[in-house]
Amino acid sequence: MNKVTIETIIEKKRHKIPITLLTAYSFPLASIIDNSGIDIILVGDSVANTELGLESTRSVTMCEMLHHAKAVRRGVRNALLVGDMPYESYQLDVSDALNNAKRFMGEAGCDAVKLEWFQKCPEVTESILKAGIPVMGHIGLTPQTADKADGFKVQGKDAERASQLIEQALLMEGLGIFSLVIECVPDILAGIITKKLKVPTIGIGAGRDCDGQALVTYDMLGLIKGRKKPKFVKEYADIYSEIKKAVGMYKEEVEHNLFPLREHSYSMKEEEAQKIIDNF
Ligand code: KIV
């Protein structure tokens, strides 16, 4: 497998080869995803809801993101590694934003950063790009700034909002982003944006016409139960049940003295054992 670069991703669009993106927050999962040949691994701020048990992606901090990004870096050899800039790490101040983007690259060894669209996104993106840091944009449903009443639903269903999203996409491309995540928009709209842009679009809940697809890994593995599953999530496994089964078997065997067996234990010479038995 070859190292995936920004150029690889752009070439894939030119040759109409679908791009794959999954999230990772830990070393073991990052290694599996990397070894499976996924193009882009995103250390997503979805770590908040999925790994840390928090209500909102707004609650994860820059330090926590770096901690996870460093662990993921250790497991990734080939995929392009993107660090997701958390809430308030880039919205408050342009120079803070640049500093935090540099931390993802310098401290965690990421290859690029991702920013969700917000009012001052162009200004912030420009300053990060000027420093030579590749940026992945994110439009449509943008959980960090979406308001609870109105934001957490499909975006761009009417022509006015759809036009805004097309303008955001064109503006971000004009600034020099290398790819754009489009979350939760009608498939027709994502298709129009994909056709208009030279850089690849990566859809999550944005239909079949994007240049690539993203999913949150814990969702597609079926690891988290008891939460409403968005329509766009396909579960490729039921890891929750697999883990529960294994944990249940372990409990059963320990409680019935069936684990550990001799083969799981360490031995010592009989005469040495006898000395201790005699002494104690
Ligand atoms: O944090 C995340 O997992 C994301 C994906 C929805 C792309 O931003």
Side-chain angles (χ1 to χ4, degrees), residues 15-49:
H15 292 100
K16 297 194 178 349
I17 302 169
I19 299 160
T20 50
L21 181 153
L22 284 175
T23 59
Y25 323 113
S26 67
F27 169 79
L29 216 56
S31 318
I32 298 173
I33 295 170
D34 191 58
N35 285 330
S36 309
I38 292 294
D39 296 309
I40 305 176
I41 296 185
L42 172 71
V43 186
D45 65 355
S46 52
V47 67
N49 332 94

Side-chain angles (χ1 to χ4, degrees), residues 166-198:
I166 296 171
E167 276 160 22
Q168 289 170 10
L170 289 170
L171 207 153
M172 293 297 277
E173 170 166 86
L175 291 174
I177 58 166
F178 76 94
S179 64
L180 181 69
V181 168
I182 307 179
E183 181 168 351
C184 255
V185 307
D187 50 3
I188 294 179
L189 173 59
I192 293 171
I193 296 174
T194 300
K195 267 208 185 123
K196 283 206 163 291
L197 296 193
K198 288 190 190 66

Side-chain angles (χ1 to χ4, degrees), residues 113-274:
V113 295
K114 175 168 87 59
L115 310 179
E116 289 184 10
W117 175 269
F118 72 111
Q119 220 194 350
K120 285 196 178 154
C121 199
E123 200 184 324
V124 170
T125 304
E126 206 170 12
S127 121
I128 297 174
L129 286 168
K130 260 196 190 147
I133 299 174
V135 174
M136 172 184 266
H138 182 158
I139 62 166
L141 200 169
T142 46
Q144 290 180 9
T145 48
D147 85 76
K148 271 208 170 135
D150 198 39
F152 285 88
K153 61 176 195 191
V154 182
Q155 298 292 306
K157 283 188 100 152
D158 60 75
E160 193 187 336
R161 175 76 178 124
S163 310
Q164 282 173 2
L165 293 175
I166 296 171
E167 276 160 22
Q168 289 170 10
L170 289 170
L171 207 153
M172 293 297 277
E173 170 166 86
L175 291 174
I177 58 166
F178 76 94
S179 64
L180 181 69
V181 168
I182 307 179
E183 181 168 351
C184 255
V185 307
D187 50 3
I188 294 179
L189 173 59
I192 293 171
I193 296 174
T194 300
K195 267 208 185 123
K196 283 206 163 291
L197 296 193
K198 288 190 190 66
V199 296
T201 57
I202 318 275
I204 174 159
R208 297 164 51 82
D209 294 330
C210 293
D211 299 304
Q213 295 295 327
L215 278 178
V216 170
T217 301
Y218 286 3
D219 287 342
M220 61 82 82
L221 291 179
L223 184 61
I224 296 167
K225 297 283 174 217
R227 234 181 35 190
K228 195 171 166 256
K229 185 162 66 89
K231 179 182 178 182
F232 61 78
V233 170
K234 177 171 176 185
E235 283 188 4
Y236 287 83
D238 184 1
I239 296 299
Y240 180 95
S241 302
E242 287 297 313
I243 294 178
K244 196 157 182 289
K245 196 166 96 191
V247 171
M249 277 162 63
Y250 165 75
K251 174 177 151 57
E252 192 71 14
E253 290 196 358
V254 170
E255 287 176 354
H256 292 86
N257 292 316
L258 294 167
F259 176 84
L261 298 175
R262 257 336 255 279
E263 71 214 60
H264 306 115
S265 310
Y266 299 104
S267 62
M268 67 192 287
K269 285 195 180 124
E270 239 176 69
E271 62 266 30
E272 292 301 312
Q274 197 54 54

Side-chain angles (χ1 to χ4, degrees), residues 6-17 200:
I6 305 278
E7 289 68 40
T8 321
I9 299 297
I10 294 176
E11 276 300 290
K12 281 203 157 186
K13 170 159 185 149
R14 282 208 325 118
H15 292 100
K16 297 194 178 349
I17 302 169

